[in-house]
Amino acid sequence: MNPTKPIVAPASDKTNAARRESLTITDNRTGRQYEVPVQHDTIRAIDLRQIKVNEDDFGMMTYDPAYTNTASCISRITFIDGDKGILRYRGYPIEELAEKSTYLETAYLILHGELPTNAQLEDWTYHVTHHTFIHESIKKFLDGFHYDAHPMGMIISAVAALSTFYPDAKNIFDEDSRRKQTWRLIGKMPTLAAFTYRHSLGMPYAYPDNELSYPGNFLNMLFRTTELKYRPNPTLERALDVLFILHADHEQNCSTSAMRGVGSSHVDPYSAIAAATAALYGPLHGGANEAVLRMLLEIGSVNRVPDYIKQVKSGEQKLMGFGHCVYKNYDPRAKIVKHIAYEVFDVMGRNPLIDIALECERIALEDDYFVKRKLYPNVDFYTGLIYQSMGFPMTMFPVLFAIPRTSGWIAQWQEMLLDPEQKIARPRQIYLGSDERSYIPMDHRG
Ligand code: ACO
């Protein structure tokens, strides 16, 4: 029997006062029983290692490809209840933050755990704003890319290159250094993103303007031409800010896991962010909104939607922007995004693809195929339409995701570094390859 004492249920839990917080496992290979503690409805995988058939046995492991049922960390940053469609940062519902907060305030909350006071927000905004410039050599570095280089490839390389400019970033256990790299990363990501866009157009880079808001300055660096002072449209500025809030963190997704995994080797944060950005580049993660747009273009008109839905139901196609690994209800971000779409269309003109999207949603939400499988619109269903209306090419869509997610990545990285239980990430494997065999000389090989 496992000598570890079971964790007893809290006394306040009257109905379960006598409940033992443990799991009893019977190993049918040996007939032995083991009792492993349960905490937060979870057992520790390492507690299974004691389950052996004999002394030489390595011990029991769990097999969980893609970690779909494995908690890799304890986190206090983002909460998601996928069945109920709930998303909260540090306890605050996403709907309230999207309505009342700004991206910079939300980033502060995600990173520090509390909403800032006026003075804290002022200080935070000052420092982020005063770290938006990039070294002129980074500009030259960007110039080295082909005119048609994908902006994600450029931004991944440029963020990694930043580590060579800030060797102090290696001091990851120095709080002051971490704070400085955080200002730099959050400040410089929009600059790098805008410069990749200008590079693809062959336009001169537009430098940051410290008098503008975080999203306002981003719009300035993207779209400024000959005007002496760029004045962002307030609707577009706010729309972008809300989209940034919605994308700031999403707990242990693929790119965040990359950030934590790479960061667990104690590399500097620029290199870890480059890895996280690379993970986001993949079409299964940051590229879904582009796939939605391509799908809507392929459908082409509202009267062709029923045909397309038929193809989806017969398994020939996927309804892109529908379904989610975690949300089995309406993605709470999708509702907010849908609202923003109309505000942006009021300024930029109605994107004709919206009617096709609405018809897809209307049919899908009433159709048994989608209802049974709990397939609802996800955040990406409408973001592509908004970005396209704002004038962004599709290649910039994942870049627009990487900018705000930087705050979430850094918060998760910092939480990992300060967690005494965390170590260098090193999963196990089940080896099913060849057993030991002798080397075959070349002239004996078939
Ligand atoms: N269209 C049609 N059918 C779908 C869709 C879809 N978009 N998504 C899932 N299904 C079906 C599956 O075929 C499956 O049907 P079956 O039970 O008959 O085999 C069932 O629904 C369950 O699907 P799973 O693959 O188990 O769902 P999972 O949760 O693993 O997949 C995923 C989630 C990958 C997001 C999937 O829904 C999908 O591919 N959606 C389209 C792409 C997309 O929009 N991605 C963006 C996600 S949001 C983000 O990353 C920021």
Side-chain angles (χ1 to χ4, degrees), residues 29 31 44 92 128 148 167 213 221 278 289 308 313 333 349 432:
R29 298 171 303 173
R44 284 182 180 256
Y92 293 101
V128 171
D148 60 352
S213 70
M221 292 187 288
N289 47 15
Y308 190 85
K313 286 164 64 175
R333 300 167 301 173
L432 296 180

Side-chain angles (χ1 to χ4, degrees), residues 191-391:
T191 313
L192 291 177
F195 281 21
T196 64
Y197 172 67
R198 304 281 287 209
H199 176 83
S200 67
L201 296 178
M203 284 183 74
Y205 302 122
Y207 281 75
D209 179 344
N210 285 359
E211 286 176 15
L212 297 175
S213 70
Y214 189 82
N217 176 46
F218 181 46
L219 290 169
N220 157 63
M221 292 187 288
L222 288 163
F223 300 127
R224 181 174 176 183
T225 52
T226 55
E227 56 274 57
L228 287 179
K229 176 90 186 160
Y230 180 84
R231 305 217 179 272
N233 177 291
T235 305
L236 302 187
E237 186 181 10
R238 179 63 192 157
L240 204 53
D241 211 26
V242 175
L243 288 165
F244 282 177
I245 292 172
L246 302 184
H247 287 89
D249 196 50
H250 212 235
E251 53 118 306
Q252 309 311 315
N253 54 79
C254 179
S255 57
T256 302
S257 300
M259 181 78 194
R260 280 181 175 260
V262 173
S264 75
S265 74
H266 291 179
V267 73
D268 68 87
Y270 300 96
S271 303
I273 292 259
T277 312
L280 190 65
Y281 192 3
L284 296 187
H285 192 4
N289 47 15
E290 178 178 339
V292 173
L293 212 57
R294 289 191 191 285
M295 175 190 78
L296 297 176
L297 286 166
E298 188 194 326
I299 296 173
S301 67
V302 170
N303 57 19
R304 291 182 57 189
V305 171
D307 252 8
Y308 190 85
I309 296 281
K310 229 186 253 168
Q311 289 175 38
V312 170
K313 286 164 64 175
S314 65
E316 291 164 63
Q317 303 276 5
K318 261 194 168 172
L319 187 57
M320 300 311 291
F322 263 68
H324 196 275
C325 296
V326 179
Y327 294 115
K328 300 301 168 196
N329 201 326
Y330 215 102
D331 179 340
R333 300 167 301 173
K335 282 186 199 154
I336 301 165
V337 167
K338 192 173 172 184
H339 184 68
I340 297 172
Y342 287 103
E343 290 176 1
V344 170
F345 299 161
D346 280 347
V347 178
M348 305 300 290
R350 191 178 167 87
N351 188 328
L353 296 177
I354 184 74
D355 295 319
I356 303 173
L358 286 170
E359 184 64 359
C360 287
E361 184 183 333
R362 188 189 67 76
I363 296 181
L365 291 183
E366 287 173 359
D367 193 298
D368 234 29
Y369 175 94
F370 297 91
V371 174
K372 257 200 212 140
R373 289 171 178 77
K374 300 187 176 175
L375 299 172
Y376 294 89
N378 61 50
V379 68
D380 287 319
F381 194 60
Y382 290 103
T383 50
L385 290 177
I386 299 176
Y387 295 147
Q388 191 194 40
S389 294
M390 287 173 92

Side-chain angles (χ1 to χ4, degrees), residues 119-130:
Q120 286 167 334
L121 183 58
E122 233 173 68
D123 184 67
W124 167 245
T125 306
Y126 175 89
H127 285 297
V128 171
T129 309
H130 285 78

